Amino acid sequence: MKVLTLVGSLRKESFNRRLAETMQERYQDKFEMEIADIGALPHFDQDVELDPPAVVKEFKQKVLDADAIIIVTPEYNWSVPGVLKNALDWTSRGEKVMVGKPVFPLGASMGMAGTLRAQIHLRQILVAPGVSAKVLPPGGNEVLVNFAQQKFEGESGGLIDGPTLEFLDQKVDAFIGFVKEG
């Protein structure tokens, strides 16, 4: 299974990037995972949506070629970061490459609620008519890594909290089943 991952934080040492990298290493026997460089995308511009810049075309092709998408997002002002929203806007215009694509949203933050509000907003975006992704249903499938500063190794290491990793293992298996269901 080929998975493209969008990380909503551009900071190299962000907890969300580190969560994506942990998943990339931990589940390499379950799927091939690439982390997209959404920071390279220009701001969405409707004037060029039908003939976007090459970097946008390449990104959209990666989304199209992926069997599934994982979105790892922080929470900025109770929502998703602009860079993530921008990437999703590009996927929803011209050739709509997210339509029917299985998506697994998750995220990490230093607060108690994890990325709950960002993920709720992200789910609203993902089911919008131009995006129309097939989102892993909530109700037990939410991965909200809270108090992240206590669950990652040092200032740049991966997720090391045992119970969180066990829960993540279960949700990744649920997502793989969700993707295979079609």
Side-chain angles (χ1 to χ4, degrees):
M1 185 167 82
K2 189 174 181 179
V3 174
L4 184 67
T5 299
L6 313 182
V7 178
S9 175
L10 298 179
R11 193 169 63 83
K12 287 184 180 183
E13 302 300 330
S14 80
F15 290 116
N16 288 280
R17 176 160 299 283
R18 291 161 61 189
L19 177 56
E21 290 168 349
T22 297
M23 293 176 74
Q24 188 175 40
E25 182 179 328
R26 187 172 182 88
Y27 305 117
Q28 62 187 327
D29 61 328
K30 296 182 182 226
F31 49 78
E32 175 189 338
M33 182 172 142
E34 177 184 354
I35 300 172
D37 180 10
I38 64 173
L41 298 172
H43 293 285
F44 174 74
D45 180 349
Q46 195 171 7
D47 288 338
V48 297
E49 72 177 300
L50 297 178
D51 188 23
V55 67
V56 173
K57 290 178 182 177
E58 292 167 13
F59 168 68
K60 290 179 78 166
Q61 188 62 52
K62 286 181 181 187
V63 172
L64 194 60
D65 292 344
D67 298 309
I69 306 293
I70 293 174
I71 300 178
V72 188
T73 186
E75 182 169 299
Y76 294 170
N77 300 314
W78 293 10
S79 187
V80 297
V83 68
L84 177 57
K85 177 65 167 68
N86 184 60
L88 294 172
D89 287 344
W90 277 116
T91 69
S92 72
R93 305 299 291 223
E95 185 178 6
K96 296 171 175 65
V97 295
M98 290 285 285
V99 173
K101 191 70 65 175
V103 177
F104 178 22
L106 66 155
S109 80
M110 294 172 56
M112 183 183 345
T115 56
L116 178 63
R117 289 177 287 250
Q119 287 191 45
I120 289 170
H121 192 202
L122 177 59
R123 286 176 177 279
Q124 292 173 332
I125 295 165
L126 291 170
V127 299
V131 182
S132 297
K134 181 182 168 194
V135 185
L136 182 67
N141 289 318
E142 297 93 343
V143 177
L144 310 160
V145 181
N146 62 355
F147 303 119
Q149 68 278 17
Q150 301 168 12
K151 296 179 179 177
F152 286 81
E153 184 174 28
E155 301 217 3
S156 61
L159 181 64
I160 58 170
D161 182 68
T164 303
L165 285 167
E166 288 174 25
F167 183 75
L168 183 60
D169 290 345
Q170 294 170 13
K171 300 308 138 190
V172 165
D173 287 343
F175 183 60
I176 291 169
F178 177 73
V179 173
K180 289 181 178 177
E181 285 174 4

